[in-house]
Amino acid sequence: MPDSKKTRKTPDQFRSFRWLGPDDLRSFGHRSRLKQMGYSADDYAGKPVIGILSTWNELNPCHTHFPQRVQEIKRGVWQAGGFPVEIPVMSLSETFMKPSAMFYRNLLALETEEVLRCYPIDGAVLLGGCDKTTPALIMGATSADIPAIFVPAGPMLKGNWQGTTLGSGTDAWKYWAERCAGHLDECAWRGIEDGIARSMGHCMTMGTASTMLCVAETLGLTLPGASSIPAAHAAHSRMAELSGRRIVEMVFEDLKPSDILSPRAFDNAITVDMAIGGSTNAIIHLIAMAARAGISLPLDRFDEISQRTPVIANLRPSGQYLMEDFYDAGGLPGLLQRIGASLHLDCPTVNGKTLGQNVQGSPVYNDEVILPLQKPLSTAGATFILRGNLAPQGCVIKPTAADAKLLKHVGPALVFKDYADLKARIDDEKLDVTADSVLVLQNAGPLGGPGMPEWGMLPIPRKLLRQGVRDMVRISDARMSGTSYGTCVLHVSPEAAVGGPLALVKDGDLIELDVPGRRIHLRVSDADLARRRQGWAPPQKPYARGYAWLFAAQCTQAHEGCDFKFLHAGRATPEPDIY
Ligand code: FES
């Protein structure tokens, strides 16, 4: 909601006026170069310059429709009296980027902040959706703190194979296990490959992309309902155009991220993350995003909110349906209306109304997809925080996606020192493993991975798959895809690569998992752990230069959000001088 104390901006108060307005040599240069591009003064003079930050490239399958959406956003900006300019920024393709898209989240955040600062941009449209693009764009725009609106990529259509509905990621893992167990031939496997991703848009399960876009909408950074619209739906184009119109007004109102992002807004976002059965990745991103707004989110806040929030989105991987069903059932506005009593409804949003005003009267059309509060998927939220001598700074688990029988478990550790070791041995027929073993992966965290890859859903050994085993307790300092499932303890902090207790686990050590008691315990005495620590040496850091060196030097641990220390703190950077 616009601050009533703020007066409506006049064109000479726009940032861009400093570039385009003055009668001096520098401004002459800026204006003449706009004319070089074919614009006349009527196109831009006295108008807010709107930067459309597009995370499109030809290796990001989730954003293939962005060139068209940019045109639709531009249409809205022109209609409302703004001057739109497209600013391509790095695309974080979850599918293709290695070692992981997470490794580059902070680079996109840095780029976002700096392009918004260095160019004559008065307001920004942030066009993203594939997993890390959402937190990165929001982190950068929050630090730049100019008016900004988010346009979510939208989920792709449901997958289909021989009449069976397929969900991104979730069903790939599921059918791969069947293939490894010998239950699926190559022809069937190719059929799944053909049908699992069949339109533009991001993963359509409640993975990280869907979660983070629901979070962005709940924070108040998108138009109401924007995050649920399938990418291929005509309503998605209309939402893009409306967002273009709205950002122009936001510039006049001077409605900035700092007016919208508050501790209460982040509590709302955590509540929704829990109610939708959101991705575990959201915890890391929310901590980092909040920190950019100067708000501290301790891990325990997630557990507190989780305890009082039922999971009511019946979506894979926790539930049954997919994002297209969610949209048809009423989408996020319907869900927000249903959990309204748990939300701070007076929080402002980009359209100038409160969250409560936006969702008031929003219907739910299908109680199977958005469940009634009295019939939730789970009475507690999607993510629990565990602590113990194995994770002094905490770790996370998604119990709704785990086998309930394993939530209290004691078993002997089977340790893999890194992913290469896991890959080399996991399917060895002689591997000393049973269904009761606890698979432990070391050195897959923020610095160990590096970039905390999504390796946390460790594969079940092939010989156990053939015996019918489909879930085991798995522990790592890695993340897992929001589309994954299983009894996977993730984000163990501190990570093994910096000498966290995870680095000291040995084969055969008994590990106790007690999810209801929020405990993860290594049954090894403190004295033995101290002895082991003396023999521990940190892994070699292979990067001596470049971005990877910067990452290794600056990335914080999982419980701190994995942002770079130098982006996380410090005084606001001033506007650039123009001489
Ligand atoms: Fe882009 Fe899943 S690969 S959202």
Side-chain angles (χ1 to χ4, degrees):
M1 184 179 294
D3 184 340
S4 53
K5 290 190 223 82
K6 282 186 188 172
T7 51
R8 191 173 171 79
K9 272 198 166 179
T10 53
D12 59 330
Q13 295 171 323
F14 294 159
R15 286 184 81 240
S16 60
F17 186 83
R18 294 180 60 228
W19 276 259
L20 302 175
D23 181 16
D24 61 18
L25 182 61
R26 212 36 92 202
S27 302
F28 159 84
H30 300 147
R31 290 190 300 265
S32 69
R33 292 301 179 150
L34 283 176
K35 286 176 177 163
Q36 179 186 10
M37 289 188 279
Y39 294 113
S40 63
D42 284 350
D43 286 323
Y44 63 82
K47 296 180 176 181
V49 178
I50 304 300
I52 303 167
L53 272 57
S54 171
T55 50
W56 173 88
N57 77 22
E58 287 190 334
L59 278 175
N60 192 333
C62 306
H63 295 180
T64 52
H65 52 314
F66 279 11
Q68 186 185 337
R69 293 296 173 272
V70 168
Q71 297 312 313
E72 290 152 355
I73 293 165
K74 282 186 173 179
R75 196 169 77 216
V77 172
W78 284 121
Q79 284 171 7
F83 177 55
V85 289
E86 182 180 359
I87 308 279
V89 288
M90 189 178 197
S91 190
L92 307 183
S93 171
E94 192 63 32
T95 310
F96 289 104
M97 287 187 106
K98 309 297 171 197
S100 73
M102 179 67 181
F103 187 63
Y104 292 103
R105 184 198 67 181
N106 298 345
L107 186 58
L108 174 57
L110 181 59
E111 184 188 12
T112 299
E113 178 181 349
E114 295 307 322
V115 295
L116 292 179
R117 183 174 292 117
C118 71
Y119 281 120
I121 293 173
D122 299 303
V125 181
L126 311 172
L127 193 44
C130 187
D131 283 26
K132 317 304 179 282
T133 54
T134 304
L137 289 166
I138 292 173
M139 287 160 70
T142 302
S143 292
D145 203 28
I146 66 168
I149 191 168
F150 201 98
V151 171
M156 68 177 95
L157 298 176
K158 293 190 270 191
N160 190 290
W161 168 59
Q162 297 181 350
T164 301
T165 299
L166 297 173
S168 313
T170 306
D171 285 302
W173 321 125
K174 181 175 134 188
Y175 287 105
W176 176 243
E178 296 309 319
R179 177 134 170 79
C180 292
H183 299 155
L184 212 60
D185 65 19
E186 178 163 1
C187 181
W189 184 239
R190 296 282 171 217
I192 292 169
E193 187 176 300
D194 287 344
I196 199 164
R198 61 190 186 104
S199 84
M200 62 186 84
H202 62 72
C203 293
M204 72 332 229
T205 37
M206 186 47 81
T208 304
S210 304
T211 302
M212 291 313 300
L213 292 168
C214 288
V215 159
E217 180 172 335
T218 306
L219 284 170
L221 298 173
T222 77
L223 290 180
S227 66
S228 318
I229 307 171
H233 198 301
H236 197 268
S237 296
R238 298 195 292 271
M239 177 272 294
E241 185 219 302
L242 275 175
S243 301
R245 273 199 245 169
R246 176 61 196 153
I247 186 64
V248 175
E249 270 308 293
M250 286 173 67
V251 173
F252 282 106
E253 293 167 4
D254 196 26
L255 181 56
K256 302 190 297 264
S258 56
D259 299 310
I260 291 170
L261 300 176
S262 64
R264 289 154 68 81
F266 276 98
D267 274 359
N268 285 344
I270 298 171
T271 303
V272 165
D273 176 30
M274 297 303 160
I276 60 179
S279 161
T280 44
N281 286 326
I283 295 181
I284 295 175
H285 299 319
L286 274 164
I287 291 170
M289 287 156 58
R292 293 297 188 102
I295 296 162
S296 166
L297 281 187
L299 270 185
D300 292 334
R301 188 74 186 134
F302 290 84
D303 207 72
E304 280 163 35
I305 293 178
S306 174
Q307 294 322 298
R308 60 174 195 237
T309 309
V311 180
I312 62 164
N314 186 9
L315 302 176
R316 297 181 203 185
S318 298
Q320 194 181 344
Y321 294 96
L322 295 169
M323 286 301 288
E324 199 180 329
D325 306 306
F326 186 57
Y327 175 70
D328 291 338
L332 191 66
L335 181 135
L336 290 171
Q337 164 75 358
R338 200 154 259 189
I339 60 166
S342 306
L343 298 171
H344 303 292
L345 294 172
D346 56 343
C347 285
T349 74
V350 286
N351 73 345
K353 296 184 178 156
T354 64
L355 188 68
Q357 288 168 329
N358 283 338
V359 303
Q360 192 173 26
S362 296
V364 170
Y365 300 109
N366 186 338
D367 281 343
E368 284 289 310
V369 179
I370 303 175
L371 301 166
L373 290 174
Q374 309 73 24
K375 282 195 192 169
L377 215 53
S378 152
T379 49
T383 317
F384 289 4
I385 307 299
L386 314 177
R387 288 183 193 273
N389 68 348
L390 196 49
Q393 298 289 355
C395 57
V396 310
I397 188 168
K398 186 172 187 175
T400 49
D403 184 337
K405 293 195 294 295
L406 291 171
L407 295 178
K408 268 176 92 84
H409 180 83
V410 179
L414 174 59
V415 182
F416 300 94
K417 69 178 180 349
D418 54 28
Y419 200 81
D421 182 29
L422 174 100
K423 204 156 170 34
R425 293 196 292 130
I426 191 75
D427 290 328
D428 186 337
E429 294 296 322
K430 295 197 225 56
L431 192 69
D432 186 12
V433 65
T434 71
D436 285 335
S437 299
V438 174
L439 304 181
V440 174
L441 175 62
Q442 298 167 330
N443 297 311
L447 303 180
M452 220 179 165
E454 294 186 337
W455 295 336
M457 182 186 173
L458 277 62
I460 306 289
R462 210 171 276 230
K463 73 177 188 185
L464 295 183
L465 283 174
R466 282 200 301 273
Q467 293 167 22
V469 177
R470 290 294 182 271
D471 196 5
M472 295 173 73
V473 176
R474 292 159 266 181
I475 301 176
S476 73
D477 44 14
R479 298 174 299 117
M480 79 173 181
S481 164
T483 63
S484 299
Y485 54 88
T487 312
C488 302
V489 177
L490 309 157
H491 310 184
V492 168
S493 188
E495 63 175 301
V498 299
L502 188 71
L504 309 179
V505 183
K506 292 192 166 165
D507 283 347
D509 288 349
L510 284 179
I511 295 181
E512 182 186 339
L513 173 68
D514 177 6
V515 175
R518 303 293 189 277
R519 183 174 142 88
I520 180 121
H521 184 71
L522 180 65
R523 288 188 181 168
V524 175
S525 71
D526 290 347
D528 280 348
L529 285 176
R531 251 190 306 279
R532 288 184 193 182
R533 180 169 298 287
Q534 282 177 352
W536 177 82
Q540 290 284 320
K541 288 199 180 117
Y543 303 110
R545 62 169 298 283
Y547 177 74
W549 175 87
L550 177 72
F551 188 96
Q554 286 288 326
C555 187
T556 61
Q557 290 290 289
H559 70 281
E560 300 165 309
C562 298
D563 201 357
F564 288 163
K565 291 168 207 158
F566 76 97
L567 295 173
H568 195 281
R571 282 196 310 278
T573 309
E575 286 282 337
D577 293 322
I578 302 176
Y579 294 126

mmCIF file of all heavy atoms in Angstrom, residues 331-363:
data_model
loop_
_atom_site.group_PDB
_atom_site.id
_atom_site.type_symbol
_atom_site.label_atom_id
_atom_site.label_comp_id
_atom_site.label_asym_id
_atom_site.label_seq_id
_atom_site.Cartn_x
_atom_site.Cartn_y
_atom_site.Cartn_z
ATOM 1 N N GLY A 331 -6.204 -21.620 -7.069
ATOM 2 C CA GLY A 331 -4.834 -21.094 -6.999
ATOM 3 C C GLY A 331 -4.475 -20.535 -5.638
ATOM 4 O O GLY A 331 -5.159 -20.765 -4.634
ATOM 5 N N LEU A 332 -3.389 -19.794 -5.633
ATOM 6 C CA LEU A 332 -2.890 -19.280 -4.349
ATOM 7 C C LEU A 332 -3.903 -18.364 -3.654
ATOM 8 O O LEU A 332 -4.047 -18.439 -2.430
ATOM 9 C CB LEU A 332 -1.546 -18.567 -4.539
ATOM 10 C CG LEU A 332 -0.846 -18.249 -3.222
ATOM 11 C CD1 LEU A 332 -0.415 -19.511 -2.485
ATOM 12 C CD2 LEU A 332 0.363 -17.341 -3.437
ATOM 13 N N PRO A 333 -4.663 -17.503 -4.382
ATOM 14 C CA PRO A 333 -5.645 -16.674 -3.658
ATOM 15 C C PRO A 333 -6.648 -17.526 -2.869
ATOM 16 O O PRO A 333 -7.015 -17.181 -1.739
ATOM 17 C CB PRO A 333 -6.320 -15.883 -4.780
ATOM 18 C CG PRO A 333 -5.274 -15.789 -5.852
ATOM 19 C CD PRO A 333 -4.559 -17.117 -5.809
ATOM 20 N N GLY A 334 -7.076 -18.650 -3.452
ATOM 21 C CA GLY A 334 -8.000 -19.536 -2.733
ATOM 22 C C GLY A 334 -7.349 -20.101 -1.484
ATOM 23 O O GLY A 334 -7.962 -20.158 -0.405
ATOM 24 N N LEU A 335 -6.100 -20.529 -1.617
ATOM 25 C CA LEU A 335 -5.398 -21.089 -0.454
ATOM 26 C C LEU A 335 -5.170 -20.022 0.611
ATOM 27 O O LEU A 335 -5.362 -20.261 1.813
ATOM 28 C CB LEU A 335 -4.074 -21.711 -0.900
ATOM 29 C CG LEU A 335 -3.253 -22.357 0.208
ATOM 30 C CD1 LEU A 335 -2.703 -23.719 -0.212
ATOM 31 C CD2 LEU A 335 -2.107 -21.474 0.686
ATOM 32 N N LEU A 336 -4.784 -18.816 0.166
ATOM 33 C CA LEU A 336 -4.534 -17.734 1.145
ATOM 34 C C LEU A 336 -5.810 -17.390 1.900
ATOM 35 O O LEU A 336 -5.803 -17.138 3.110
ATOM 36 C CB LEU A 336 -4.002 -16.492 0.417
ATOM 37 C CG LEU A 336 -2.586 -16.586 -0.160
ATOM 38 C CD1 LEU A 336 -2.275 -15.379 -1.024
ATOM 39 C CD2 LEU A 336 -1.544 -16.725 0.943
ATOM 40 N N GLN A 337 -6.906 -17.377 1.165
ATOM 41 C CA GLN A 337 -8.189 -17.091 1.816
ATOM 42 C C GLN A 337 -8.494 -18.157 2.869
ATOM 43 O O GLN A 337 -8.921 -17.873 3.970
ATOM 44 C CB GLN A 337 -9.274 -17.045 0.733
ATOM 45 C CG GLN A 337 -10.696 -17.146 1.216
ATOM 46 C CD GLN A 337 -11.172 -15.850 1.868
ATOM 47 O OE1 GLN A 337 -10.430 -14.879 1.991
ATOM 48 N NE2 GLN A 337 -12.406 -15.851 2.315
ATOM 49 N N ARG A 338 -8.156 -19.424 2.523
ATOM 50 C CA ARG A 338 -8.464 -20.530 3.428
ATOM 51 C C ARG A 338 -7.613 -20.473 4.704
ATOM 52 O O ARG A 338 -8.084 -20.851 5.779
ATOM 53 C CB ARG A 338 -8.258 -21.853 2.687
ATOM 54 C CG ARG A 338 -8.960 -22.991 3.307
ATOM 55 C CD ARG A 338 -9.286 -24.068 2.301
ATOM 56 N NE ARG A 338 -10.681 -24.015 1.879
ATOM 57 C CZ ARG A 338 -11.275 -24.936 1.137
ATOM 58 N NH1 ARG A 338 -10.597 -25.962 0.693
ATOM 59 N NH2 ARG A 338 -12.543 -24.815 0.821
ATOM 60 N N ILE A 339 -6.385 -20.019 4.601
ATOM 61 C CA ILE A 339 -5.532 -19.954 5.814
ATOM 62 C C ILE A 339 -5.434 -18.510 6.332
ATOM 63 O O ILE A 339 -4.527 -18.173 7.094
ATOM 64 C CB ILE A 339 -4.108 -20.507 5.558
ATOM 65 C CG1 ILE A 339 -3.382 -19.714 4.453
ATOM 66 C CG2 ILE A 339 -4.136 -21.987 5.238
ATOM 67 C CD1 ILE A 339 -1.889 -19.997 4.403
ATOM 68 N N GLY A 340 -6.377 -17.688 5.923
ATOM 69 C CA GLY A 340 -6.327 -16.252 6.244
ATOM 70 C C GLY A 340 -6.137 -15.951 7.728
ATOM 71 O O GLY A 340 -5.460 -14.983 8.091
ATOM 72 N N ALA A 341 -6.725 -16.803 8.587
ATOM 73 C CA ALA A 341 -6.627 -16.533 10.031
ATOM 74 C C ALA A 341 -5.194 -16.637 10.525
ATOM 75 O O ALA A 341 -4.859 -16.133 11.599
ATOM 76 C CB ALA A 341 -7.521 -17.517 10.788
ATOM 77 N N SER A 342 -4.323 -17.303 9.761
ATOM 78 C CA SER A 342 -2.919 -17.457 10.170
ATOM 79 C C SER A 342 -2.014 -16.410 9.543
ATOM 80 O O SER A 342 -0.795 -16.464 9.737
ATOM 81 C CB SER A 342 -2.390 -18.837 9.741
ATOM 82 O OG SER A 342 -3.222 -19.847 10.213
ATOM 83 N N LEU A 343 -2.581 -15.509 8.775
ATOM 84 C CA LEU A 343 -1.753 -14.546 8.036
ATOM 85 C C LEU A 343 -1.926 -13.130 8.574
ATOM 86 O O LEU A 343 -2.966 -12.794 9.148
ATOM 87 C CB LEU A 343 -2.149 -14.558 6.548
ATOM 88 C CG LEU A 343 -1.959 -15.880 5.807
ATOM 89 C CD1 LEU A 343 -2.600 -15.813 4.424
ATOM 90 C CD2 LEU A 343 -0.481 -16.235 5.703
ATOM 91 N N HIS A 344 -0.912 -12.314 8.337
ATOM 92 C CA HIS A 344 -1.023 -10.877 8.602
ATOM 93 C C HIS A 344 -1.627 -10.252 7.342
ATOM 94 O O HIS A 344 -0.922 -9.959 6.382
ATOM 95 C CB HIS A 344 0.346 -10.275 8.889
ATOM 96 C CG HIS A 344 1.058 -10.932 10.031
ATOM 97 N ND1 HIS A 344 0.615 -10.831 11.335
ATOM 98 C CD2 HIS A 344 2.169 -11.702 10.076
ATOM 99 C CE1 HIS A 344 1.437 -11.503 12.130
ATOM 100 N NE2 HIS A 344 2.377 -12.047 11.393
ATOM 101 N N LEU A 345 -2.918 -10.069 7.362
ATOM 102 C CA LEU A 345 -3.617 -9.671 6.133
ATOM 103 C C LEU A 345 -3.457 -8.190 5.817
ATOM 104 O O LEU A 345 -3.856 -7.735 4.747
ATOM 105 C CB LEU A 345 -5.102 -10.036 6.237
ATOM 106 C CG LEU A 345 -5.365 -11.546 6.279
ATOM 107 C CD1 LEU A 345 -6.839 -11.829 6.570
ATOM 108 C CD2 LEU A 345 -4.954 -12.216 4.968
ATOM 109 N N ASP A 346 -2.875 -7.445 6.757
ATOM 110 C CA ASP A 346 -2.709 -6.005 6.508
ATOM 111 C C ASP A 346 -1.394 -5.679 5.795
ATOM 112 O O ASP A 346 -1.085 -4.511 5.582
ATOM 113 C CB ASP A 346 -2.777 -5.241 7.838
ATOM 114 C CG ASP A 346 -1.746 -5.744 8.845
ATOM 115 O OD1 ASP A 346 -1.216 -6.862 8.645
ATOM 116 O OD2 ASP A 346 -1.462 -5.024 9.808
ATOM 117 N N CYS A 347 -0.655 -6.707 5.408
ATOM 118 C CA CYS A 347 0.622 -6.433 4.717
ATOM 119 C C CYS A 347 0.359 -5.838 3.327
ATOM 120 O O CYS A 347 -0.518 -6.310 2.604
ATOM 121 C CB CYS A 347 1.434 -7.719 4.578
ATOM 122 S SG CYS A 347 2.175 -8.228 6.127
ATOM 123 N N PRO A 348 1.148 -4.830 2.947
ATOM 124 C CA PRO A 348 0.940 -4.204 1.641
ATOM 125 C C PRO A 348 1.462 -5.073 0.497
ATOM 126 O O PRO A 348 2.306 -5.948 0.706
ATOM 127 C CB PRO A 348 1.770 -2.916 1.742
ATOM 128 C CG PRO A 348 2.813 -3.204 2.759
ATOM 129 C CD PRO A 348 2.219 -4.194 3.719
ATOM 130 N N THR A 349 0.956 -4.833 -0.687
ATOM 131 C CA THR A 349 1.412 -5.572 -1.873
ATOM 132 C C THR A 349 1.596 -4.593 -3.044
ATOM 133 O O THR A 349 1.205 -3.427 -2.954
ATOM 134 C CB THR A 349 0.404 -6.661 -2.302
ATOM 135 O OG1 THR A 349 -0.719 -6.031 -2.921
ATOM 136 C CG2 THR A 349 -0.082 -7.493 -1.131
ATOM 137 N N VAL A 350 2.163 -5.105 -4.129
ATOM 138 C CA VAL A 350 2.516 -4.220 -5.253
ATOM 139 C C VAL A 350 1.317 -3.540 -5.910
ATOM 140 O O VAL A 350 1.485 -2.524 -6.585
ATOM 141 C CB VAL A 350 3.310 -4.961 -6.357
ATOM 142 C CG1 VAL A 350 4.735 -5.227 -5.944
ATOM 143 C CG2 VAL A 350 2.597 -6.225 -6.807
ATOM 144 N N ASN A 351 0.127 -4.104 -5.773
ATOM 145 C CA ASN A 351 -0.996 -3.450 -6.469
ATOM 146 C C ASN A 351 -1.619 -2.323 -5.636
ATOM 147 O O ASN A 351 -2.644 -1.751 -6.015
ATOM 148 C CB ASN A 351 -2.055 -4.470 -6.915
ATOM 149 C CG ASN A 351 -2.885 -5.022 -5.770
ATOM 150 O OD1 ASN A 351 -2.513 -4.875 -4.603
ATOM 151 N ND2 ASN A 351 -3.991 -5.657 -6.098
ATOM 152 N N GLY A 352 -0.985 -2.028 -4.497
ATOM 153 C CA GLY A 352 -1.450 -0.918 -3.683
ATOM 154 C C GLY A 352 -2.510 -1.322 -2.682
ATOM 155 O O GLY A 352 -2.962 -0.501 -1.883
ATOM 156 N N LYS A 353 -2.914 -2.598 -2.718
ATOM 157 C CA LYS A 353 -3.888 -3.082 -1.739
ATOM 158 C C LYS A 353 -3.190 -4.010 -0.758
ATOM 159 O O LYS A 353 -2.056 -4.460 -1.001
ATOM 160 C CB LYS A 353 -5.005 -3.841 -2.453
ATOM 161 C CG LYS A 353 -5.801 -2.960 -3.389
ATOM 162 C CD LYS A 353 -6.946 -3.717 -3.994
ATOM 163 C CE LYS A 353 -7.739 -2.781 -4.889
ATOM 164 N NZ LYS A 353 -8.482 -3.481 -5.907
ATOM 165 N N THR A 354 -3.882 -4.337 0.330
ATOM 166 C CA THR A 354 -3.292 -5.276 1.288
ATOM 167 C C THR A 354 -3.507 -6.705 0.803
ATOM 168 O O THR A 354 -4.366 -6.976 -0.057
ATOM 169 C CB THR A 354 -3.932 -5.139 2.680
ATOM 170 O OG1 THR A 354 -5.312 -5.503 2.564
ATOM 171 C CG2 THR A 354 -3.793 -3.720 3.218
ATOM 172 N N LEU A 355 -2.732 -7.616 1.399
ATOM 173 C CA LEU A 355 -2.908 -9.036 1.082
ATOM 174 C C LEU A 355 -4.358 -9.446 1.345
ATOM 175 O O LEU A 355 -4.977 -10.159 0.550
ATOM 176 C CB LEU A 355 -1.943 -9.861 1.944
ATOM 177 C CG LEU A 355 -1.829 -11.341 1.629
ATOM 178 C CD1 LEU A 355 -1.166 -11.565 0.279
ATOM 179 C CD2 LEU A 355 -1.028 -12.064 2.716
ATOM 180 N N GLY A 356 -4.906 -8.972 2.457
ATOM 181 C CA GLY A 356 -6.275 -9.322 2.819
ATOM 182 C C GLY A 356 -7.289 -8.817 1.801
ATOM 183 O O GLY A 356 -8.225 -9.526 1.418
ATOM 184 N N GLN A 357 -7.100 -7.573 1.351
ATOM 185 C CA GLN A 357 -8.020 -7.032 0.335
ATOM 186 C C GLN A 357 -7.930 -7.850 -0.953
ATOM 187 O O GLN A 357 -8.928 -8.093 -1.619
ATOM 188 C CB GLN A 357 -7.679 -5.564 0.050
ATOM 189 C CG GLN A 357 -8.068 -4.623 1.187
ATOM 190 C CD GLN A 357 -7.462 -3.230 1.002
ATOM 191 O OE1 GLN A 357 -6.381 -3.078 0.440
ATOM 192 N NE2 GLN A 357 -8.165 -2.230 1.498
ATOM 193 N N ASN A 358 -6.729 -8.275 -1.282
ATOM 194 C CA ASN A 358 -6.544 -9.016 -2.534
ATOM 195 C C ASN A 358 -7.216 -10.385 -2.511
ATOM 196 O O ASN A 358 -7.675 -10.865 -3.538
ATOM 197 C CB ASN A 358 -5.052 -9.198 -2.829
ATOM 198 C CG ASN A 358 -4.421 -7.925 -3.367
ATOM 199 O OD1 ASN A 358 -5.115 -7.058 -3.890
ATOM 200 N ND2 ASN A 358 -3.120 -7.810 -3.242
ATOM 201 N N VAL A 359 -7.214 -11.043 -1.355
ATOM 202 C CA VAL A 359 -7.714 -12.431 -1.352
ATOM 203 C C VAL A 359 -9.138 -12.538 -0.811
ATOM 204 O O VAL A 359 -9.725 -13.620 -0.845
ATOM 205 C CB VAL A 359 -6.788 -13.381 -0.557
ATOM 206 C CG1 VAL A 359 -5.381 -13.332 -1.121
ATOM 207 C CG2 VAL A 359 -6.800 -13.094 0.930
ATOM 208 N N GLN A 360 -9.678 -11.422 -0.365
ATOM 209 C CA GLN A 360 -11.029 -11.460 0.225
ATOM 210 C C GLN A 360 -12.022 -12.075 -0.776
ATOM 211 O O GLN A 360 -12.103 -11.648 -1.932
ATOM 212 C CB GLN A 360 -11.466 -10.046 0.562
ATOM 213 C CG GLN A 360 -12.704 -10.020 1.434
ATOM 214 C CD GLN A 360 -13.002 -8.596 1.898
ATOM 215 O OE1 GLN A 360 -12.617 -7.633 1.235
ATOM 216 N NE2 GLN A 360 -13.650 -8.478 3.016
ATOM 217 N N GLY A 361 -12.724 -13.096 -0.315
ATOM 218 C CA GLY A 361 -13.750 -13.724 -1.164
ATOM 219 C C GLY A 361 -13.197 -14.627 -2.246
ATOM 220 O O GLY A 361 -13.960 -15.131 -3.081
ATOM 221 N N SER A 362 -11.890 -14.876 -2.251
ATOM 222 C CA SER A 362 -11.337 -15.761 -3.296
ATOM 223 C C SER A 362 -11.846 -17.187 -3.067
ATOM 224 O O SER A 362 -11.633 -17.769 -1.994
ATOM 225 C CB SER A 362 -9.802 -15.758 -3.250
ATOM 226 O OG SER A 362 -9.330 -14.487 -3.558
ATOM 227 N N PRO A 363 -12.504 -17.761 -4.065
ATOM 228 C CA PRO A 363 -13.116 -19.081 -3.855
ATOM 229 C C PRO A 363 -12.124 -20.232 -4.033
ATOM 230 O O PRO A 363 -11.098 -20.084 -4.672
ATOM 231 C CB PRO A 363 -14.175 -19.141 -4.971
ATOM 232 C CG PRO A 363 -13.641 -18.245 -6.037
ATOM 233 C CD PRO A 363 -12.783 -17.196 -5.380
#
